[in-house]
Amino acid sequence: MKFSDFTYERPSVEAFKNSFINELQAFHNAKTFKAQKEAILAINQLRSDFDSMYSLASVRYSIDTTDRFYEGENDFFDNSYPELNEHTNSYFKALLTSPFRKELEAEFGPQLFTISELRLKTFEPTIIEDLKEENKLDSQYRKIKAQAIIQFDGQEYNLSSINPLELSKDRATRKRAAEAKWAFYAEKATDIESIYHNMVQLRHKMATTLGYKNYVELGYARMLRSDYNAEMVANFRQQVQEHIVPIATQLLKRQANRLGLDSLKYYDEGFSFPSGNPKPKGSPKWMEDQARIMYAQLSTETDEFFQFMSDKELMDLVAKDGKQTGGYCTFLNKFKSPFIFSNFNGTSHDITVLTHEAGHAFQAYSTSNNGKLYDYLWPTYEACEIHSMSMEFFTWPWMDLFFKEDTEKFKFSHLASSILFLPYGVAIDEFQHIIYENPTMTPSERNAVWSDLEKKYLPTRDYAGNKHLEEGRFWQRQSHVFGMPFYYIDYVLAQICAFQFWQRSLEDKTGSWKDYINLCKAGGSKSFLGLVQLANLKSPFEDGCLAEVVKPIQAYLDSVDDSKF
């Protein structure tokens, strides 16, 4: 069965509630461990079926946000999930008070109970209407971006299709394309800032209702972070400032030298080489064919996985009007199928996003086939990003399939951009901490915070007189800030783990791949640091880890004569 054949049927909220209540009663009435286990599996199946319909509707809506039917379904789920939280929370409470908890922990592991404890800290029935409003605001923001129309040289572009023009060899074209894109954001700035202001107020209200001082601690609980806290993250950000910002600054100077410029302007930062950025050498269909070859050769596990993805047409890869921006992977558990969504636009990002999202999809595919509990289908987000970012590096030996004579150029660019991302990633994280610790800030005060953080982490950035950006609004492009607060340091933490897999894959391909497979199969059965340990990686929070990890990367980049590119 192909993705287009997957049948969508709006689930009945009342039927779900009634079935859930019955299964939960069976859990409470169970006289044996076996009976409670069966009730847990039944409850997980109910949740899985409901979530599968949500995921199917969400994918189809994100592919075409002008589809009125799936827009309505998106609204339905925005309103339904907060109402169901009360029922799922009763399940988590029951788990924690089970007389067979010892046996259940032996069967499923302690992480299920850690998750349950955190879930209970994030919800009370009094915030149901607030949760609905939060979903509504996020949908408004995503719709603004998905339906962007950018006029440039007599043609219309969206936020994905304008990107190749921002990477033009002609500097004047890059500048005009960037200005056209940011003119769209400037036009929508009042709407975007209003949405975010309302989000901050709403989240602070929910946090105080639940007994928190502000949203920060609630945000960490919603992210299911159990083995690190905001203080540890702040210390990690400081390490990035000390060890990574100087390296990033030198890489940008090196880039300016390659381009023959005294300094980079904001519209130059994405353009890396005077000969042009590396691009895949074929059409989207051709790229998918090359990926099939690549995954067939990488391992038997990835061969089976990618054949499955291709044969069932579980990827929508190409940018088009009305499509949401960005890329993601989801899992349709009822159909035992991952789904990859992206916006190919003819740049090297097509390949990094394909391998990145394939890492997510491969993990979910591996976990589901490993018989894990539905609660363990995905780990916490920073662990999820280890799968995706590491897959980008495990596929390096096959990059010649896509880039031909530009393979070494791509590898240099990929590794350098991975380093350059880190300061931006921690800036986004620190921004959110400051905003939620100071919820009464005005939109202009929030923008001023971002400007200060750019000076701290991105000290060479030059907006060349662009008023919108110089006023501190660059952050408004970052969807995570709106829809998934605090989901950004996850990428930085995972990148440090992925760098370790990159180094280990060069030294011990078999051993590192075995650890990666074990990590994927484990899914969310352990906490972030537990999974890091399982994969034989060093914790990013460990003293000295960051400085040690970047040494071989810096050595690699320094060994490359980038002037030949």
Side-chain angles (χ1 to χ4, degrees):
M1 183 188 296
K2 295 182 179 180
F3 176 73
S4 59
D5 299 320
F6 290 179
T7 301
Y8 172 76
E9 182 178 354
R10 177 187 283 192
S12 166
V13 173
E14 287 307 310
F16 175 88
K17 289 179 179 178
N18 291 334
S19 296
F20 197 96
I21 290 170
N22 290 336
E23 294 299 344
L24 190 61
Q25 191 60 50
F27 179 90
H28 285 300
N29 293 339
K31 303 300 183 184
T32 65
F33 156 67
K34 182 180 179 182
Q36 277 209 339
K37 176 183 173 181
E38 289 174 354
I40 288 174
L41 296 177
I43 289 170
N44 271 255
Q45 188 62 52
L46 284 171
R47 294 166 61 213
S48 166
D49 289 346
F50 195 94
D51 289 350
S52 293
M53 290 299 101
Y54 162 69
S55 296
L56 184 56
S58 179
V59 167
R60 288 178 174 164
Y61 178 59
S62 62
I63 290 171
D64 181 8
T65 60
T66 66
D67 186 313
R68 291 295 181 86
F69 174 77
Y70 282 112
E71 182 178 22
E73 297 310 285
N74 184 70
D75 293 342
F76 164 76
F77 285 107
D78 279 353
N79 281 293
S80 297
Y81 268 107
E83 293 183 9
L84 300 183
N85 280 349
E86 187 171 1
H87 293 273
T88 54
N89 263 31
S90 62
Y91 161 64
F92 295 132
K93 287 179 183 177
L95 281 174
L96 294 173
T97 58
S98 168
F100 301 105
R101 177 166 173 171
K102 182 178 179 181
E103 292 88 343
L104 291 171
E105 283 201 27
E107 176 74 16
F108 298 120
Q111 180 66 0
L112 176 61
F113 296 88
T114 300
I115 291 171
S116 299
E117 290 170 352
L118 288 167
R119 292 285 192 200
L120 291 178
K121 294 179 178 180
T122 67
F123 176 81
E124 289 291 343
T126 50
I127 68 168
I128 286 176
E129 294 305 314
D130 292 334
L131 291 169
K132 290 180 181 181
E133 181 63 19
E134 183 183 30
N135 289 340
K136 181 180 176 181
L137 290 167
D138 181 43
S139 291
Q140 289 174 4
Y141 172 77
R142 287 187 284 118
K143 190 172 182 178
I144 286 173
K145 293 181 67 174
Q147 298 185 3
I149 298 175
I150 300 167
Q151 301 288 343
F152 186 81
D153 285 352
Q155 295 188 12
E156 292 185 351
Y157 296 86
N158 59 35
L159 289 170
S160 298
S161 60
I162 193 71
N163 185 242
L165 293 168
E166 294 182 273
L167 304 178
S168 170
K169 292 181 184 179
D170 179 64
R171 196 182 193 199
T173 300
R174 293 201 299 274
K175 182 176 186 290
R176 290 192 303 112
E179 288 174 342
K181 181 184 79 174
W182 285 107
F184 163 78
Y185 278 106
E187 179 187 342
K188 299 295 183 181
T190 300
D191 292 337
I192 290 173
E193 289 176 349
S194 175
I195 289 170
Y196 190 62
H197 181 78
N198 291 336
M199 283 179 162
V200 171
Q201 301 308 304
L202 193 63
R203 287 166 179 156
H204 182 71
K205 177 188 172 188
M206 287 191 284
T208 55
T209 299
L210 294 173
Y212 296 102
K213 180 181 179 181
N214 56 48
Y215 182 76
V216 175
E217 192 175 352
L218 173 58
Y220 272 57
R222 286 173 70 168
M223 295 292 285
L224 303 181
R225 294 173 178 170
S226 62
D227 45 13
Y228 64 96
N229 56 33
E231 289 72 26
M232 293 168 70
V233 171
N235 182 65
F236 177 77
R237 291 196 304 262
Q238 184 178 345
Q239 299 302 307
V240 171
Q241 184 184 9
E242 291 177 5
H243 297 288
I244 304 298
V245 171
I247 298 173
T249 300
Q250 287 302 314
L251 284 172
L252 292 170
K253 288 181 179 178
R254 197 169 164 183
Q255 180 180 342
N257 290 336
R258 285 198 305 272
L259 298 177
L261 302 173
D262 292 333
S263 63
L264 298 175
K265 305 300 183 185
Y266 77 100
Y267 49 79
D268 295 317
E269 288 186 9
F271 184 69
S272 298
F273 308 100
S275 59
N277 285 8
K279 297 179 181 178
K281 305 298 184 179
S283 68
K285 178 62 170 64
W286 176 87
M287 286 184 255
E288 186 178 332
D289 290 341
Q290 304 314 301
R292 189 188 288 255
I293 295 170
M294 173 177 71
Y295 283 118
Q297 295 178 2
L298 175 57
S299 73
T300 55
E301 296 94 342
T302 54
D303 183 21
E304 175 192 299
F305 152 73
F306 204 77
Q307 291 279 4
F308 179 86
M309 297 293 291
S310 295
D311 293 346
K312 291 185 175 292
E313 299 178 354
L314 295 166
M315 296 176 278
D316 192 286
L317 303 176
V318 182
K320 49 183 173 274
D321 291 340
K323 188 175 181 180
Q324 282 185 7
T325 58
Y328 66 78
C329 169
T330 190
F331 194 81
L332 307 161
N333 203 52
K334 183 175 182 178
F335 307 99
K336 298 300 177 188
S337 298
F339 189 90
I340 292 175
F341 172 99
S342 71
N343 278 277
F344 279 11
N345 56 15
T347 67
S348 62
H349 185 64
D350 296 351
I351 305 306
T352 53
V353 76
L354 176 59
T355 54
H356 181 101
E357 300 304 338
H360 287 309
F362 178 67
Q363 176 267 307
Y365 181 83
S366 301
T367 300
S368 65
N369 288 338
N370 198 33
K372 292 293 183 185
L373 197 64
Y374 182 63
D375 285 294
Y376 291 163
L377 176 62
W378 302 104
T380 48
Y381 289 116
E382 70 289 273
C384 283
E385 299 305 336
I386 301 177
H387 311 129
S388 55
M389 290 175 151
S390 299
M391 181 64 85
E392 294 179 33
F393 290 120
F394 275 117
T395 54
W396 257 33
W398 292 271
M399 287 300 102
D400 61 305
L401 292 174
F402 304 97
F403 295 102
K404 307 298 183 183
E405 70 277 8
D406 287 334
T407 298
E408 293 308 311
K409 181 196 284 190
F410 167 77
K411 289 181 176 179
F412 179 89
S413 175
H414 183 207
L415 204 53
S417 64
S418 297
I419 289 288
L420 291 169
F421 164 76
L422 301 178
Y424 174 73
V426 296
I428 287 287
D429 181 69
E430 188 166 333
F431 174 77
Q432 294 181 88
H433 279 82
I434 294 171
I435 297 312
Y436 287 110
E437 287 167 1
N438 300 275
T440 60
M441 280 184 172
T442 64
S444 61
E445 287 172 333
R446 294 187 189 107
N447 295 336
V449 168
W450 178 253
S451 291
D452 289 342
L453 290 170
E454 285 185 322
K455 294 180 179 69
K456 180 178 180 179
Y457 292 110
L458 309 165
T460 64
R461 179 158 287 179
D462 183 346
Y463 287 124
N466 186 301
K467 184 174 182 291
H468 178 76
L469 294 173
E470 288 185 342
E471 290 177 347
R473 292 188 172 93
F474 186 91
W475 65 271
Q476 294 176 14
R477 65 179 285 277
Q478 199 61 61
S479 301
H480 305 68
V481 174
F482 294 79
M484 295 292 292
F486 295 113
Y487 182 5
Y488 217 69
I489 197 67
D490 306 70
Y491 292 105
V492 186
L493 295 169
Q495 189 71 81
I496 302 308
C497 295
F499 283 157
Q500 294 177 62
F501 267 132
W502 172 76
Q503 177 65 20
R504 291 178 55 201
S505 70
L506 300 177
E507 300 169 348
D508 179 12
K509 180 180 177 181
T510 301
S512 60
W513 181 250
K514 180 181 178 181
D515 283 340
Y516 179 77
I517 290 288
N518 289 336
L519 178 67
C520 289
K521 288 181 177 179
S525 60
K526 296 180 182 294
S527 65
F528 169 58
L529 294 181
L531 290 169
V532 167
Q533 184 178 27
L534 175 70
N536 292 313
L537 301 170
K538 291 184 178 178
S539 164
F541 297 114
E542 186 178 311
D543 287 342
C545 174
L546 195 60
E548 179 183 342
V549 166
V550 298
K551 281 181 182 177
I553 295 168
Q554 191 170 13
Y556 176 92
L557 293 171
D558 288 345
S559 73
V560 176
D561 178 9
D562 54 317
S563 64
K564 68 183 180 180
F565 301 140

